[in-house]
Amino acid sequence: MPHSSVLYWIRNDLRLADNPALTAAIASGQPVIPVFIWSPEEEGNWPPGAATRAWLERSLAALAAAYETCGSRLILRQGSTCDILLSLCDECGADTVVASRRYEPSALRQEADVRDALRESGRSIKVFNGSLLNAPNDVATQMGEPYKVFTPYYNACLKREPLAVPYPAPERIPAPVKWPATETLESLTLTPEHPWVGKMLRHWQIGEAGAQARLAAWVDEPVTGYPVNRDLPGISGTSTLSPYLHFGEISPRQIAHAVRQYPVHRDESVNANESYIRQLYWREFAHHLLYHFPHTPEEPLKELFGRFPWVKNDAYLKRWQRGQTGYPFVDAGMRELWETGWMHNRVRMVVASFLIKDLRIHWREGADWFWDTLFDADLPNNSLGWQWVAGCGADAAPYFRVFNPVTQGMKFDGAGEYVRKWVPELAALPDKYIHCPWELGPIELASHGVTLGNNYPHPMVNHDEARKTALAIYDELKSLGE
Ligand code: FAD
């Protein structure tokens, strides 16, 4: 094989369009060898969860098919990333590896190891930001410090706009005369053998084409109602693009660009578009925080919370995981997650608050469950989300803000559509009682097909009492810290 190939190491950029690393590989004028390496043991404390593995398998299949249409191939390998890249460089006569940068702590370590190994063998790596609008260290306060509050961070980012126009997908990718060997997708044994996974997958069209279809449907209309509808879990009021963003099947720049281009003829659309794009900056902020505070997936950013007396209760944890808490809004959220691999943001906040403050179970246990079951499981966003609700992260909800699962349900799911969908045993209850069935007497409940303790649980804790206990512990903790 001639000494003329470039290796393109695929990471969280499972797409062809708007892909700076792939664009650079093609621009080198050399044959491009795209390679994905399955190396879960290099992900530190956060090896991919079950949902992630299942999505990844389908996403790689879709990507391989897309490469074929460009006259190229996807090479799959598993094992040590450094060893595999070095041996592929030898085999293909490549002097350069190009890749997208991932910003999680273990991924940065992995990149540094690869860089060192390539340098020692007289080769180099070129890395590109293809996953964020701004790299985490592109933005800093006037003192050169990381931001810990969202709004000034967001304002600083806006000053850096306008965003560049996304790259189109390549039509052809130069191929080598001889391809290196690839492993089969099946040999990576990504998808866990659990019927739960197959059921969840039915809700999604995985891969770049699926991401583009979702984006097209989103900008066609629903984004216009985003400022109001985004809080209503009973309707499709958010984009559900989070898994696609996580795997890099779509770039945030493609989303921002498409959203700003589209419904300019509608008066209300400009504000709606910007309110939606602002959420993309929460994702950016999460990356910024994790980059600067790499311990936050495991430890609270506010150290005081390290001394919180968490309760260890596996039976309670399991009831929360399975949507059997007796609080319909919480149970609907946990069951939506179990059925679809996704949960609405408003409900994520409520179920997280319930676990942390009503049950006083450590937020890490909730983060672990989300990590295993969410298709969008994402270290920066998940860490930010859990620490935000726990009150121990950057720009977090104050600890004393305890979400009331009943009033949250009444406010954001007033007619009970969401609860009826995911907790069908309560479907016949009148709207007024759908979020608090225990307020109806047993006879009336039975007339609507519900018997508490039989086909739907009694509330596992009394929210008002649990709230008081949590706040008393917090006050004590605060006094110790002062
Ligand atoms: P949209 O409302 O359509 O927003 C568009 C995009 O903006 C999202 O896809 C996401 O990338 C980003 N975004 C929106 N809200 C947030 C937010 N609050 N924080 C960070 N980015 C945001 N998001 C994940 O992607 N992965 C996670 O593992 C994750 N864990 C979470 C855990 C908790 C406890 C909480 C409270 C939130 C978590 N989030 C997580 C954030 C948020 O719930 C999801 O990003 C959102 O629900 C995804 O749905 P969507 O794509 O329809 O969002």
Side-chain angles (χ1 to χ4, degrees), residues 218 226 230 238-243 245 276 279-280 282-283 286 342-345 348-349 352 370 374 376-379 381-382 384-386 388-389:
W218 176 244
Y226 187 73
R230 58 178 293 232
T238 70
S239 70
T240 58
L241 282 166
S242 49
L245 270 166
Y276 173 70
Q279 289 310 113
L280 294 177
W282 270 101
R283 175 175 178 270
W342 183 88
M343 193 198 300
H344 189 278
N345 181 59
R348 290 189 204 205
M349 292 191 281
F370 272 27
L374 274 173
D376 66 24
D378 181 84
L379 200 58
N381 278 2
N382 203 33
L384 173 80
W386 281 95
W388 187 89
V389 177

Side-chain angles (χ1 to χ4, degrees), residues 282-419:
W282 270 101
R283 175 175 178 270
E284 303 272 318
F285 184 51
H287 278 79
H288 178 78
L289 290 171
L290 181 58
Y291 181 82
H292 290 290
F293 306 101
H295 61 288
T296 49
E298 286 86 23
E299 301 295 332
L301 188 66
K302 294 181 186 158
E303 285 167 19
L304 178 66
F305 284 84
R307 290 150 73 181
F308 196 90
W310 300 107
V311 171
K312 183 84 188 140
N313 187 330
D314 289 343
Y316 272 24
L317 178 64
K318 192 144 205 126
R319 283 183 67 173
W320 175 81
Q321 290 171 338
R322 294 302 151 101
Q324 294 289 341
T325 67
Y327 283 95
F329 202 47
V330 173
D331 292 341
M334 298 310 294
R335 295 188 199 183
E336 179 181 36
L337 173 60
W338 188 245
E339 286 294 316
T340 69
W342 183 88
M343 193 198 300
H344 189 278
N345 181 59
R346 166 64 44 187
V347 196
R348 290 189 204 205
M349 292 191 281
V350 174
V351 303
S353 178
F354 189 81
L355 184 81
I356 297 168
K357 294 176 186 173
D358 289 57
L359 305 182
R360 297 200 311 285
I361 292 179
H362 200 304
W363 57 269
R364 257 300 299 268
E365 304 221 44
D368 284 348
W369 181 248
F370 272 27
W371 186 253
D372 206 37
T373 53
L374 274 173
F375 280 136
D376 66 24
D378 181 84
L379 200 58
N381 278 2
N382 203 33
S383 309
L384 173 80
W386 281 95
Q387 291 223 16
W388 187 89
V389 177
C392 59
D395 203 3
Y399 182 84
F400 51 79
R401 179 164 182 211
V402 180
F403 285 82
N404 181 320
V406 176
T407 52
Q408 285 283 309
M410 287 173 168
K411 187 165 174 199
F412 297 110
D413 184 40
E417 288 130 317
Y418 184 67
V419 165

Side-chain angles (χ1 to χ4, degrees), residues 129 138 189 203 265 443:
N129 167 20
D138 278 350
T189 53
H203 295 273
H265 52 283
I443 295 171

Side-chain angles (χ1 to χ4, degrees), residues 158-342:
L158 289 187
K159 287 198 187 120
R160 294 173 55 84
E161 294 221 51
L163 304 169
V165 177
Y167 301 120
E171 285 176 9
R172 303 293 301 168
I173 300 174
V177 178
K178 183 166 174 270
W179 283 97
T182 179
E183 296 193 41
T184 62
L185 194 49
E186 296 69 42
S187 71
L188 306 187
T189 53
L190 290 171
T191 300
E193 280 181 28
H194 195 297
W196 154 70
V197 177
K199 180 193 61 179
M200 293 205 307
L201 286 165
R202 284 199 288 275
H203 295 273
W204 301 89
Q205 184 193 346
I206 295 174
E208 186 171 12
Q212 287 300 329
R214 184 74 200 113
L215 177 63
W218 176 244
V219 295
D220 190 32
E221 179 67 60
V223 67
T224 314
Y226 187 73
V228 176
N229 295 342
R230 58 178 293 232
D231 264 325
L232 308 177
I235 59 170
S236 300
T238 70
S239 70
T240 58
L241 282 166
S242 49
Y244 302 101
L245 270 166
H246 169 74
F247 287 93
E249 293 170 10
I250 197 164
S251 74
R253 188 163 65 176
Q254 286 176 299
I255 299 177
H257 191 72
V259 166
R260 282 190 176 134
Q261 288 274 307
Y262 202 73
V264 281
H265 52 283
R266 289 194 279 257
D267 287 348
E268 72 278 29
S269 61
V270 175
N271 285 341
N273 291 351
E274 290 310 316
S275 109
Y276 173 70
I277 288 167
R278 192 175 194 270
Q279 289 310 113
L280 294 177
Y281 281 100
W282 270 101
R283 175 175 178 270
E284 303 272 318
F285 184 51
H287 278 79
H288 178 78
L289 290 171
L290 181 58
Y291 181 82
H292 290 290
F293 306 101
H295 61 288
T296 49
E298 286 86 23
E299 301 295 332
L301 188 66
K302 294 181 186 158
E303 285 167 19
L304 178 66
F305 284 84
R307 290 150 73 181
F308 196 90
W310 300 107
V311 171
K312 183 84 188 140
N313 187 330
D314 289 343
Y316 272 24
L317 178 64
K318 192 144 205 126
R319 283 183 67 173
W320 175 81
Q321 290 171 338
R322 294 302 151 101
Q324 294 289 341
T325 67
Y327 283 95
F329 202 47
V330 173
D331 292 341
M334 298 310 294
R335 295 188 199 183
E336 179 181 36
L337 173 60
W338 188 245
E339 286 294 316
T340 69
W342 183 88

